[in-house]
Amino acid sequence: MGWTLWAVVIWACSAGNEDNLLANPGFEDIIVDRPARWDLFLLPQEGAAGRLDDVAHGGKYAVMLHIPMPYDRDPINNWSQNLFGDFAGKTVCAAGYIKVAEATEAALWVQCWRKRPWTLLLAASTSTESPFYGTRDWERVEMSLEVPKGTDFLTFRSVLKGTGTAWFDDLELTAAETK
């Protein structure tokens, strides 16, 4: 990423509202054996797993995804949370910590959705500027995007594409008025 673009991302993610919009961003609030307010999508496959794990960046827990072998068609396994509010025209910043072991690709995604007609208006990924793969210890990733008009809700996803293992922790989503 060029220095100018990186400075814009840092400015956008540090300006304006600092309140984290995600519920349970560190996965410490647990219901039975799952993090409260988070949904898991994991296409069934022998050995595939998505769970709370004590390999955490901060606190006691993180979420983990493990995919031992490729699927015929990559399903984009992920932990997700939907956020409803007036985000259109605002800049949202997604950030968090990822750790990987032999991973094809791990990333944070933000998707902007319209309800009627059901349409994905925009999707952004931390992989665009900072691909995260292989085996790496905890590192912070971040991105920002301007939410398009007509957006009814956002979906924040912690994604593992391909194979390997990925952990996600201390996630953030903030919103600020676009300058």
Side-chain angles (χ1 to χ4, degrees):
M1 177 185 306
W3 172 250
T4 305
L5 181 55
W6 184 249
V8 169
V9 169
I10 291 171
W11 172 82
C13 289
S14 63
N17 185 356
E18 295 300 321
D19 292 333
N20 194 346
L21 301 170
L22 295 172
N24 196 19
F27 309 104
E28 302 302 313
D29 185 13
I30 301 166
I31 298 174
V32 185
D33 63 348
R34 294 281 178 113
R37 299 288 313 271
W38 289 91
D39 295 311
L40 172 63
F41 174 81
L42 183 69
L43 192 64
Q45 178 194 90
E46 185 175 337
R51 67 174 185 267
L52 277 172
D53 199 278
D54 62 3
V55 175
H57 174 264
K60 291 174 61 176
Y61 300 105
V63 290
M64 183 272 295
L65 294 166
H66 174 71
I67 310 302
M69 59 188 150
Y71 291 90
D72 291 337
R73 183 169 170 242
D74 197 359
I76 316 300
N77 292 307
N78 70 92
W79 287 95
S80 68
Q81 190 172 122
N82 291 324
L83 299 110
F84 297 88
D86 184 17
F87 299 110
K90 293 182 178 175
T91 298
V92 296
C93 298
Y97 289 86
I98 303 175
K99 176 180 175 151
V100 290
E102 300 177 9
T104 304
E105 179 184 338
L108 303 179
W109 287 14
V110 175
Q111 297 173 313
C112 304
W113 293 94
R114 177 183 307 150
K115 290 181 188 176
R116 289 187 188 95
W118 190 261
T119 308
L120 176 62
L121 298 174
L122 179 66
S125 168
T126 57
S127 284
T128 302
E129 297 295 333
S130 303
F132 208 81
Y133 56 89
T135 299
R136 295 162 71 174
D137 203 359
W138 291 107
E139 290 183 39
R140 182 175 166 88
V141 297
E142 58 185 38
M143 67 166 175
S144 65
L145 66 114
E146 187 174 333
V147 178
K149 291 180 180 172
T151 297
D152 292 316
F153 69 96
L154 305 177
T155 302
F156 183 101
R157 298 186 191 278
S158 300
V159 174
L160 175 61
K161 291 177 67 176
T163 60
T165 307
W167 293 264
F168 304 90
D169 202 3
D170 299 327
L171 304 178
E172 301 172 18
L173 186 68
T174 59
E177 295 298 326
T178 301
K179 304 280 182 191

